[in-house]
Amino acid sequence: MIPAPFDYARPTTVAEVLQAVASGGEDVKILAGGQSLIPVMRLRLAAPETVVDLGGVAELRGVREEEDAIVIGAMTTHSDVLSDPLIAANAPLIAEATATVADRQVRHLGTFGGALAHADPAGDLPAVALALDAEFVLVGPGGRRTVAAGDFFVDYLTTALQEGELLVEVRIPTLAGRWGMHYEKFNRVAQAWSIVAVAAAVRTENGHIAEARIGLTNMGPTPLRAAAVEAALAGVDATDEAIASAAAHAAEGTSPSSDLNAQADYRRHLAQVLTRRAVRAAAGL
Amino acid sequence: MTQISVRVDGVNYTDDVEPRTLLVHYLREQLGKVGTVVGCDTSNCGACTVHLDGEAVKSCSVLAVQADGRAVTTIEGIAQDDGSLHPMQKAFHEQHGLQCGFCTPGMIMAAIDLVHDNPDPSEHEVREGIEGNLCRCTGYQNIVRAVQAAAADMRGAAHATATEPAGAPA
């Protein structure tokens, strides 16, 4: 099936994007790489009146370093993320998770910002953004605002983006100290979505875990932080036993769905096992 | 209708398309490039893979308007002008990398993209690299063999070019 007819705009600046969105009618969709939107439009699950294509907006692409953060343009493709030296040096968790997204063809077109704004609970990048305390920079008719990752993901496929607003970049705060990171994903076959996955960032000091941040993929309608695990890990010696004991809390406060891939109780089990593995790897065990 | 200018297999085209036209339909129905096939139609199988500015993409999940101002290479554009096959095509032939052949155009385009990034992929890296392409005949064993053989061939060709003495007759 092909998409239903729509009007098409291809602006070249953010200001033009906002204008095109404002004048696009009732139902406007923003096209980033299109690797989620186009399949959805082909199935006629979405039939927007207007599509605003960000492909020509050069200012939304690329990664730069600021004093306290690395800043990833919303239209930076997954494959550009994978080859970016700033991300490799400062936030390898992002590259590790991105390498598991779909397949190389999809990664050539799909974008970092598009995946986050789409906010699929089985998508890999939302939990990573949450674990890294990312900040989302949104621009709209009312100006520019910054939203913390914890406030950005609101519900299933729903974010804090308001009508007429555009995600322009994501700031990943620079981390001080000695951090290890790991993304542990469980899926059935190549290129499949995560059944459950865990993003772990762990700061170690003299053999103990000083701080841990754990993001959970697909354990509810939004990505979640495993707060109970984080609390249980703070200050413990980095041993298999301590990590296993903390990871047993991974399903607390989650609300996983049951679907063709897994029942909710199996997802709760997976969260614990994958958290243990992710933290072990991040702590260098 | 929206006007697009696209370079496909080395030829420039300017055409009016409906914005909802998918790149694969533009290639097949408007340009007659039926070497690129539609398999699953849901961006899973990779049979429709082409290169957009040198990078493999699934043309069933790209709008033709997104290709405006860019270069597309299809399976029909990779052989030499004299008809001799691309090393990847030759290797699929020699290593029996196809059974029914339907996935082959996409497999070859994905594999060329992989070998550009990784000139000497291990068997595991080939399998990961073509994870976006499905072969319903399950002929993966020989496909992987073909990709590795082509990679070796392409490395040899690059080496030969690089070591050619300066000033040698063309």
Side-chain angles (χ1 to χ4, degrees):
Chain A
M1 201 147 58
I2 64 170
F6 54 81
D7 289 332
Y8 174 76
R10 192 181 171 83
T12 57
T13 65
V14 169
E16 285 174 17
V17 172
L18 297 180
Q19 180 56 42
V21 171
S23 60
E26 282 296 301
D27 188 4
V28 182
K29 278 284 179 194
I30 291 170
L31 176 69
Q35 300 303 285
S36 294
L37 180 60
I38 293 172
V40 162
M41 287 172 61
R42 297 196 59 176
L43 294 167
R44 305 279 173 111
L45 296 172
E49 185 178 340
T50 304
V51 169
V52 178
D53 181 358
L54 302 184
V57 188
E59 64 190 287
L60 292 176
R61 209 172 278 266
V63 183
R64 65 177 196 277
E65 189 167 25
E66 291 189 353
E67 201 180 320
D68 56 347
I70 57 166
V71 184
I72 306 175
M75 281 293 287
T76 308
T77 63
H78 297 311
S79 46
D80 287 344
V81 163
L82 286 175
S83 61
D84 189 87
L86 284 172
I87 291 174
N90 293 284
L93 185 59
I94 294 177
E96 198 184 354
T98 298
T100 73
V101 172
D103 52 57
R104 58 189 292 117
Q105 289 99 317
V106 169
R107 291 193 295 266
H108 281 142
L109 288 174
T111 64
F112 186 69
L116 292 169
H118 185 54
D120 192 309
D124 296 294
L125 299 174
V128 169
L130 199 59
L132 295 176
D133 284 340
E135 299 162 345
F136 292 70
V137 181
L138 319 182
V139 173
R144 191 179 178 95
R145 65 187 180 116
T146 302
V147 177
D151 298 322
F152 183 75
F153 300 104
V154 173
D155 202 349
Y156 181 74
L157 303 179
T158 307
T159 68
L161 280 161
Q162 299 292 313
E163 286 284 311
E165 266 188 331
L166 179 71
L167 171 63
V168 292
E169 61 195 27
V170 179
R171 300 170 52 83
I172 311 295
T174 309
L175 295 167
R178 185 168 175 274
W179 287 83
M181 303 179 185
H182 186 72
Y183 191 68
E184 185 75 21
K185 173 169 176 168
F186 187 81
N187 58 0
R188 262 187 329 113
V189 293
Q191 67 165 298
W193 295 87
S194 286
I195 294 175
V196 173
V198 177
V202 172
R203 180 163 64 86
T204 50
E205 258 175 24
N206 308 319
H208 71 270
I209 293 174
E211 183 183 356
R213 302 182 188 172
I214 316 292
L216 303 176
T217 296
N218 218 7
M219 286 298 290
T222 66
L224 297 169
R225 283 283 282 267
V229 179
E230 294 178 359
L233 284 171
V236 303
D237 287 337
T239 63
D240 282 334
E241 297 73 27
I243 291 169
S245 157
H249 297 284
E252 288 176 18
T254 64
S255 51
S257 61
S258 291
D259 58 30
L260 286 175
N261 287 311
Q263 295 296 310
D265 63 343
Y266 180 53
R267 285 202 161 90
R268 284 190 282 266
H269 168 74
L270 279 176
Q272 298 170 45
V273 173
L274 301 178
T275 296
R276 176 165 50 79
R277 290 180 189 166
V279 173
R280 279 189 90 246
L285 293 189
Chain B
M1 298 293 252
T2 300
Q3 191 178 73
I4 59 170
S5 298
V6 193
R7 188 170 174 83
V8 182
D9 295 338
V11 178
N12 293 319
Y13 299 88
T14 298
D15 279 305
D16 289 328
V17 296
E18 260 196 284
R20 64 171 169 161
T21 307
L22 298 162
L23 179 58
V24 70
H25 293 143
Y26 172 69
L27 294 172
R28 288 177 57 86
E29 290 161 24
Q30 223 155 323
L31 303 187
K33 296 264 178 188
V34 293
T36 301
V37 295
V38 180
C40 69
D41 224 11
T42 56
S43 85
N44 277 290
C45 81
C48 65
T49 298
V50 301
H51 293 178
L52 187 57
D53 287 341
E55 294 187 323
V57 301
K58 293 179 173 178
S59 63
C60 78
S61 296
V62 183
L63 300 172
V65 288
Q66 289 177 285
D68 182 33
R70 305 176 72 174
V72 176
T73 306
T74 77
I75 188 71
E76 299 184 37
I78 59 171
Q80 300 289 318
D81 287 340
D82 66 4
S84 59
L85 295 178
H86 185 281
M88 192 63 73
Q89 291 173 303
K90 195 158 147 270
F92 268 68
H93 182 209
E94 289 172 354
Q95 303 292 325
H96 307 283
L98 59 153
Q99 292 179 36
C100 85
F102 198 83
C103 72
T104 310
M107 282 286 180
I108 287 176
M109 298 310 285
I112 292 172
D113 178 62
L114 168 67
V115 172
H116 280 162
D117 276 1
N118 181 354
D120 188 10
S122 66
E123 179 186 334
H124 179 74
E125 287 167 338
V126 172
R127 289 180 185 274
E128 288 259 303
I130 58 171
E131 68 180 328
N133 295 71
L134 303 180
C135 168
R136 281 303 301 268
C137 307
T138 71
Y140 295 105
Q141 204 65 26
N142 288 348
I143 290 172
V144 172
R145 250 179 227 140
V147 175
Q148 287 192 293
D153 191 5
M154 289 161 75
R155 284 198 304 280
H159 184 69
T161 311
T163 54
E164 214 162 284

